[in-house]
Amino acid sequence: MKALIQKPYFIFFGLAIAMLISSFFKKDIEMDINIFYIYVEIKLKNIELISFAYFMLISLNYFLLNWINRKPIYWLTIFHILFQIVALILLYNINTWSWIEEIKNINGEIIKINEVNYIPIISILTFIFSFFIHFLNFIISIFLKRE
């Protein structure tokens, strides 16, 4: 595991290849995302192809750090990998989180939350947060001089 953390480009290259292979099998599966008053239908194949390109770029960034003999910061790399995987899990399981739409209030009454689908928002925010962790890790690793 430590070897994978020291060379995270293998992890993201593997995720990129998995996204590319998976995109060939997802033909007409659409994801319905409701965020406030915006209703979006996105084909899962398109998300996977965009994810393929993104993961290839992240893998290239980590490979370039290795090529110029700079090591990424260990804990930032771990957090980046974890948050990226959590964002993917939330995104792929978006339709299985329907139990969150019902909340019991203090009196025991069930309240339906139909206006906002929280899982896509949490997934997108986690993805953006992991991107900033990667960017911070990349910039600090380039300019930080270590012996």
Side-chain angles (χ1 to χ4, degrees):
M1 184 67 180
K2 192 171 184 178
L4 282 176
I5 299 298
Q6 291 176 350
K7 296 183 179 182
Y9 53 89
F10 287 132
I11 294 172
F12 288 104
F13 183 72
L15 282 173
I17 297 301
M19 289 292 138
L20 183 64
I21 291 171
S22 178
S23 71
F24 291 127
F25 299 112
K26 311 280 188 200
K27 299 282 185 205
D28 296 327
I29 298 174
E30 291 185 355
M31 295 179 66
D32 300 328
I33 300 174
N34 295 327
I35 300 175
F36 297 108
Y37 295 105
I38 301 170
Y39 181 74
V40 180
E41 288 185 3
I42 303 172
K43 289 191 183 258
L44 192 58
K45 181 178 184 176
N46 295 338
I47 291 175
E48 288 175 341
L49 289 174
I50 292 169
S51 296
F52 165 73
Y54 173 76
F55 288 137
M56 285 301 289
L57 289 174
I58 295 293
S59 179
L60 180 67
N61 281 348
Y62 279 121
F63 181 75
L64 288 176
L65 282 178
N66 187 34
W67 189 50
I68 62 173
N69 294 326
R70 303 282 185 183
K71 291 184 180 180
I73 299 170
Y74 184 76
W75 288 106
L76 285 177
T77 305
I78 288 175
F79 284 131
H80 174 232
I81 292 170
L82 287 177
F83 283 127
Q84 197 70 55
I85 291 173
V86 165
L88 276 176
I89 289 171
L90 288 174
L91 188 65
Y92 271 97
N93 295 318
I94 204 166
N95 295 325
T96 60
W97 300 92
S98 61
W99 57 273
I100 294 178
E101 293 178 358
E102 295 181 354
I103 297 176
K104 289 186 179 180
N105 65 5
I106 299 171
N107 300 330
E109 300 170 347
I110 295 177
I111 300 171
K112 289 266 193 184
I113 302 173
N114 292 328
E115 291 184 21
V116 179
N117 193 351
Y118 290 106
I119 301 303
I121 294 171
I122 293 170
S123 177
I124 291 168
L125 290 176
T126 306
F127 176 79
I128 291 170
F129 185 67
S130 72
F131 171 76
F132 283 119
I133 289 174
H134 167 70
F135 184 72
L136 182 70
N137 191 5
F138 186 69
I139 295 299
I140 290 173
S141 297
I142 285 177
F143 293 116
L144 187 66
K145 294 189 177 187
R146 295 186 197 171
E147 293 184 20

